[in-house]
Amino acid sequence: MIRFSILLTRIAAMALLGSVVLLAGCSLGGTKEGVSTDAMRGQFDVTIQAYKNGQFLVDGAVLSALDTGSHFAYLKDQGKLPKTVLLERSDDSKIRKQHLQYMARMQDDYKFTVYFDDDGTLKRINPIETEARPLQETHAPVQMNKQQRGKDAAGKDFDPNPRP
């Protein structure tokens, strides 16, 4: 039977223990929160860009949040609702909290998954953490001047309730 010296046995045990601790330390927290946007860009069913004042660029058209929701409702009726949506910044605007809240609402309503580009890293929108806001038009209703009230387009007096 071969006998190893006590010193050699202890050194081997310490090396084994050190390598186990090193491997355990490397594996902790090893999951990445996000993936590079450039690597995954083609993997999404639909790509939408954030635009000014809570609006979105969908297929080259500027749509309000309500219109974007209507677009997805139409796709759902046609049976073409996407499973994954990528929200990117546009040339004119970055992704704001308002955009994320609208997309969280659409994610709840239409049951697709929304990812957004956060400085080159993809992150998933969590509807619980991101307070989903109701979809709404971005423009306030037009108010008529007091001077124009009761006048037609030509500027003549107009009575909306004519009496016979």
Side-chain angles (χ1 to χ4, degrees):
M1 186 164 169
I2 301 174
R3 293 185 150 207
F4 294 107
S5 70
I6 296 175
L7 180 63
L8 184 61
T9 306
R10 289 183 180 169
I11 291 174
M14 292 298 281
L16 180 65
L17 182 65
S19 64
V20 169
V21 169
L22 181 66
L23 287 174
C26 290
S27 66
L28 290 177
T31 59
K32 293 183 179 180
E33 184 177 323
V35 181
S36 172
T37 304
D38 293 332
M40 297 296 291
R41 189 175 309 274
Q43 303 295 321
F44 294 96
D45 299 329
V46 174
T47 301
I48 294 177
Q49 293 180 338
Y51 198 68
K52 301 174 187 175
N53 299 327
Q55 296 174 327
F56 298 96
L57 274 172
V58 181
D59 296 330
V62 177
L63 300 177
S64 67
L66 187 63
D67 292 336
T68 306
S70 298
H71 173 71
F72 285 119
Y74 172 77
L75 291 177
K76 183 178 180 181
D77 288 344
Q78 297 298 315
K80 298 178 181 179
L81 191 65
K83 294 189 186 299
T84 56
V85 176
L86 174 63
L87 177 64
E88 296 181 314
R89 62 176 291 155
S90 67
D91 295 336
D92 298 322
S93 176
K94 62 182 181 177
I95 299 173
R96 302 194 184 281
K97 183 178 179 181
Q98 186 178 22
H99 293 111
L100 297 176
Q101 290 172 335
Y102 286 144
M103 291 307 291
R105 175 52 150 219
M106 287 182 235
Q107 183 174 337
D108 275 347
D109 292 346
Y110 300 109
K111 308 298 184 228
F112 51 71
T113 306
V114 180
Y115 295 88
F116 68 100
D117 182 7
D118 186 27
D119 294 328
T121 303
L122 284 180
K123 292 187 179 175
R124 183 174 180 222
I125 293 178
N126 185 347
I128 296 170
E129 291 175 4
T130 307
E131 299 171 9
R133 84 170 23 188
L135 304 179
Q136 60 188 12
E137 289 290 332
T138 55
H139 302 292
V142 177
Q143 297 293 326
M144 186 179 287
N145 294 350
K146 290 182 180 179
Q147 298 169 347
Q148 291 295 323
R149 219 173 277 261
K151 300 195 183 252
D152 63 5
K156 297 178 183 173
D157 289 334
F158 174 72
D159 185 13
N161 299 321
R163 295 183 191 150

